[in-house]
Amino acid sequence: MTFAKISQVAHYSPSQVISNQDLSERMDTSDEWIASRTGIRKRHISKSESTSDLAAEVARRLLKKSGLHADQLDFIFVATISPDSMMPSTAARVQAKIGASKAFVFDLTAACSGFVFALATAEKYIRSGQYKRGIVIGSETLSKVIDWEDRTTAVLFGDGAGGVLLEASEQQTFLAESLFSDGSRGEVLQSSVGLSSPYSDKEEDKKYLSMDGRAVFDFAIRDVAKSIKNTLADAPVPVEEIDFFLLHQANDRILDKMAKKIGVDREKLPANMMEYGNTSAASIPILLSECVDQELIKLDGSQTILLSGFGGGLTWGSLLVTI
């Protein structure tokens, strides 16, 4: 039987860094106010690079690390809520930029859960036995959907991309999965394209990202923590043997409370939102890639990690993976 494994990881972010102090010069906020509430100190913001530019660079880095050529890829999936365009897809633009002529491609939109949803989808394509390898990327330029006059959202988000190379394996490495959505609560965190027809009676939707911060915080602590606990209860690996919990990087306070809720040491929940802010679908793969760079995670099949995303939709989901 064919299984899938994560064989390489990579990330990339724009070179321009905007600190909390920089933001305090354009809006009523401060480094202390932002950092004490979120843990965020700075974020990377694109000057000219698009979402597909960031994703394509991640794809190039994955190929270089693996020694593969782009035409050896069977698929490219990009998770994003800030695409270059509705069509062609961001994944199609990545395909063209790296020359992956034999890959089929598509975007997946599930906000901050996007990478987990896309990885879960890709794993099943490989497990079908029809496909041998592909790339899964989370990539965002959220700076273009943020209202930079709104301090409640502008201070939270950043741009960046991260991804993995997924390949066929004889060993089962995806051990447990739980994916959820609740569209009835979707309006607590939303972003629309802001388009309307001259023949429509409907008013134009809000263009910028908007969020009910308290509702999102409560949702993460209640629903996401519960789903993680349920996933672990059914997992073939004891909780104490899980090496790391790589959660969506939205807020450091959320990670503190999550650790207590699921009963693990906070040290097992690495964080990098202080450097990147909330990068939505890119946050988990960026964190994973940095953990590998720092040698916390080895990519030698000896560790078990839990990946958990949660955000707009509302969506949330977890994957337990040997890596």
Side-chain angles (χ1 to χ4, degrees):
M1 186 173 180
T2 301
F3 300 100
K5 70 172 182 179
I6 295 172
S7 59
Q8 290 293 342
V9 299
H11 71 283
Y12 175 72
S13 57
S15 59
Q16 177 176 234
V17 176
I18 304 299
S19 68
N20 291 347
Q21 178 60 37
D22 293 329
L23 293 182
S24 71
E25 295 171 4
R26 63 174 297 129
M27 65 184 69
D28 182 18
T29 190
S30 68
D31 176 65
E32 190 281 331
W33 190 91
I34 299 169
S36 64
R37 289 164 174 77
T38 68
I40 298 168
R41 293 285 184 180
K42 50 189 173 181
R43 68 286 296 147
H44 295 248
I45 300 295
S46 174
K47 284 187 175 180
S48 60
E49 293 169 300
S50 67
T51 298
S52 67
D53 288 333
L54 304 184
E57 180 58 28
V58 169
R60 294 186 191 101
R61 293 182 179 194
L62 288 169
L63 291 171
K64 183 177 181 179
K65 287 182 176 182
S66 64
L68 295 172
H69 191 273
D71 64 11
Q72 293 177 272
L73 296 175
D74 294 318
F75 59 79
I76 300 170
F77 301 160
V78 176
T80 185
I81 56 168
S82 53
D84 295 14
S85 58
M86 297 305 294
M87 59 180 181
S89 67
T90 301
R93 293 180 184 273
V94 172
Q95 179 201 38
K97 288 176 180 180
I98 68 172
S101 58
K102 297 179 181 179
F104 75 94
V105 306
F106 61 75
D107 288 358
L108 188 150
T109 302
C112 307
S113 307
F115 178 75
V116 169
F117 279 31
L119 186 57
T121 301
E123 184 265 338
K124 292 167 184 61
Y125 274 101
I126 289 183
R127 190 147 48 89
S128 74
Q130 188 171 350
Y131 308 98
K132 294 182 178 180
R133 64 179 62 88
I135 285 176
V136 181
I137 298 171
S139 185
E140 304 284 10
T141 49
L142 296 171
S143 56
K144 67 187 179 188
V145 300
I146 295 300
D147 180 356
W148 287 97
E149 303 303 317
D150 176 14
R151 74 168 188 168
T152 65
T153 56
V155 303
L156 302 177
F157 297 94
D159 301 340
V164 302
L165 174 68
L166 207 62
E167 297 190 89
S169 170
E170 295 181 355
Q171 302 296 320
Q172 184 174 4
T173 63
F174 283 71
L175 307 179
E177 170 186 310
S178 59
L179 307 176
F180 301 92
S181 301
D182 183 359
S184 69
R185 292 184 284 168
E187 291 187 359
V188 304
L189 179 53
Q190 60 180 324
S191 178
S192 62
V193 293
L195 302 177
S196 62
S197 161
Y199 301 102
S200 173
D201 292 331
K202 185 178 180 181
E203 293 185 7
E204 184 175 309
D205 292 333
K206 293 179 181 178
K207 181 178 180 180
Y208 297 112
L209 183 150
S210 62
M211 179 177 67
D212 180 338
R214 172 49 61 182
V216 172
F217 189 93
D218 291 345
F219 147 70
I221 301 305
R222 181 182 60 250
D223 298 275
V224 180
K226 179 180 178 181
S227 73
I228 291 174
K229 290 179 70 174
N230 289 342
T231 302
L232 296 176
D234 297 332
V237 177
V239 175
E240 58 271 14
E241 293 185 13
I242 297 173
D243 295 281
F244 293 103
F245 296 75
L246 273 56
L247 274 58
H248 170 52
Q249 300 292 291
N251 186 302
D252 200 45
R253 287 182 173 179
I254 289 178
L255 297 188
D256 288 341
K257 289 186 176 293
M258 284 286 203
K260 293 178 180 178
K261 283 273 189 177
I262 60 181
V264 298
D265 291 339
R266 177 62 174 82
E267 290 74 18
K268 286 193 172 187
L269 277 66
N272 66 359
M273 83 283 291
M274 58 287 294
E275 168 72 26
Y276 298 98
N278 181 341
T279 55
S280 191
S283 78
I284 292 175
I286 290 175
L287 180 62
L288 172 60
S289 180
E290 285 203 324
C291 285
V292 172
D293 288 347
Q294 297 163 10
E295 299 186 347
L296 292 175
I297 294 176
K298 309 297 185 183
L299 285 183
D300 61 1
S302 66
Q303 294 169 298
T304 302
I305 62 173
L306 181 122
L307 310 174
S308 185
F310 48 90
L314 293 174
T315 61
W316 62 107
S318 300
L319 293 172
L320 188 64
V321 183
T322 298
I323 194 168

